[in-house]
Amino acid sequence: MPSDPTRHPATSFFYREATLIWEARGSGDTTFVLVHGIGMGRTVFTGLAELLAEHGRVIAMDLPGYGEAPEPDRTPTVERLADIVAAFLRAEEIQNPVLIGHSMGTQVIVEVAARHPDISTRLVLIGPTVEIGQRRLGIQFRKLARDLIDESPKVLLTGAREYLRAGPNLRRKMRAMPVHRPELAYPHVPGDVLVLRGEADTVAPREWCEYVASAVPSARLEEVPGSGHETMIKNPDPAAELILKWLADD
């Protein structure tokens, strides 16, 4: 397969004692910024990035302590991760990005929008976490286990590889997710939002996603039939189609 001439090597960005790794592909007026979930890294977005790169510039990142990004001295809160992403967007002078977050990544990008309203953004929340009343790690692990029972080998192998790369401090990093209160940020998200879930997602149930969509001033909820929490890994085509249609309707 020929190499992608629009793909640029991974680069590091350092901000307040933490480093994220990012790479870009594609070109165009629209910039998509992909933010992964807990235990993951930018490689889980490869399929989605390739599809979106046909319609604009795509930036995928490893948050500090995930993927290829080094472990920071302190485990960042969701709010601190959002500040790092916002600092990156400013440093790279990225105008009007479409921020796409998966799972915990949705928590990060809603904080980017709410805490940094000077950065004009549109958000795609894929499988948003964490449901009110379900914010214990044991509950979340059980939900994820149920979701993965019927998943494809591609999803299982990709997830296992990324969880191993996240390192021995993964459990400590996971604690940042359930203590965050995304519902406090939702009403302060100024831009348009697409809430996207797999039809069979047990981690982000429909009732919770309906709440998320209603709590954001301007949001739409869409579902991918026959998919679970890892919908953009198993088959990214439906997710890409829904994202592009939402942008065209905007």
Side-chain angles (χ1 to χ4, degrees):
M1 181 180 294
S3 61
D4 182 354
T6 70
R7 186 173 181 178
H8 301 283
T11 306
S12 61
F13 172 75
F14 183 78
Y15 179 75
R16 294 186 180 178
E17 302 181 349
T19 301
L20 65 77
I21 303 293
W22 66 282
E23 63 176 312
R25 70 178 76 200
S27 62
D29 295 333
T30 302
T31 300
F32 302 93
V33 179
L34 312 182
V35 182
H36 61 80
I38 193 75
M40 296 290 154
R42 70 184 191 278
T43 60
V44 300
F45 282 116
T46 299
L48 183 62
E50 290 173 349
L51 294 170
L52 295 178
E54 298 175 12
H55 303 271
R57 187 180 184 219
V58 180
I59 293 174
M61 62 177 60
D62 292 335
L63 294 171
Y66 298 95
E68 296 179 349
E71 192 77 38
D73 292 335
R74 293 185 298 119
T75 300
T77 62
V78 168
E79 291 85 355
R80 184 164 180 249
L81 290 174
D83 292 344
I84 295 168
V85 173
F88 164 76
L89 295 173
R90 292 192 185 97
E92 293 299 316
E93 299 181 345
I94 298 171
Q95 303 294 321
N96 303 316
V98 178
L99 301 186
I100 302 176
H102 172 244
S103 197
M104 185 197 72
T106 66
Q107 298 173 242
V108 174
I109 66 174
V110 297
E111 288 293 349
V112 172
R115 292 167 65 86
H116 303 276
D118 59 297
I119 300 176
S120 179
T121 62
R122 288 165 289 179
L123 307 183
V124 179
L125 311 180
I126 305 177
T129 48
V130 281
E131 184 183 2
I132 294 172
Q134 305 290 307
R135 291 174 178 163
R136 292 170 57 189
L137 283 180
I139 293 175
Q140 293 301 310
F141 277 128
R142 287 194 293 272
K143 283 176 172 284
L144 183 59
R146 286 199 302 270
D147 190 89
L148 292 174
I149 287 174
D150 296 321
E151 274 295 4
S152 67
K154 175 183 177 182
V155 169
L156 296 175
L157 288 172
T158 301
R161 181 189 66 201
E162 291 303 322
Y163 269 73
L164 287 172
R165 293 174 73 188
N169 296 320
L170 179 58
R171 186 174 181 85
R172 186 178 71 192
K173 288 183 280 193
M174 282 183 168
R175 295 194 183 103
M177 185 177 72
V179 300
H180 178 243
R181 299 291 181 264
E183 67 272 12
L184 300 180
Y186 292 145
H188 304 289
V189 173
D192 292 332
V193 174
L194 173 64
V195 180
L196 189 60
R197 70 177 294 270
E199 183 182 36
D201 189 344
T202 61
V203 179
R206 183 174 178 87
E207 294 80 5
W208 167 245
C209 291
E210 288 174 342
Y211 168 83
V212 173
S214 67
V216 176
S218 179
R220 177 196 300 182
L221 172 62
E222 298 283 357
E223 287 189 324
V224 177
S227 291
H229 192 58
E230 312 298 339
T231 180
M232 81 297 171
I233 302 174
K234 183 176 182 178
N235 179 10
D237 294 81
E241 290 175 8
L242 287 169
I243 291 169
L244 294 170
K245 184 180 183 300
W246 169 69
L247 290 174
D249 293 343
D250 189 15

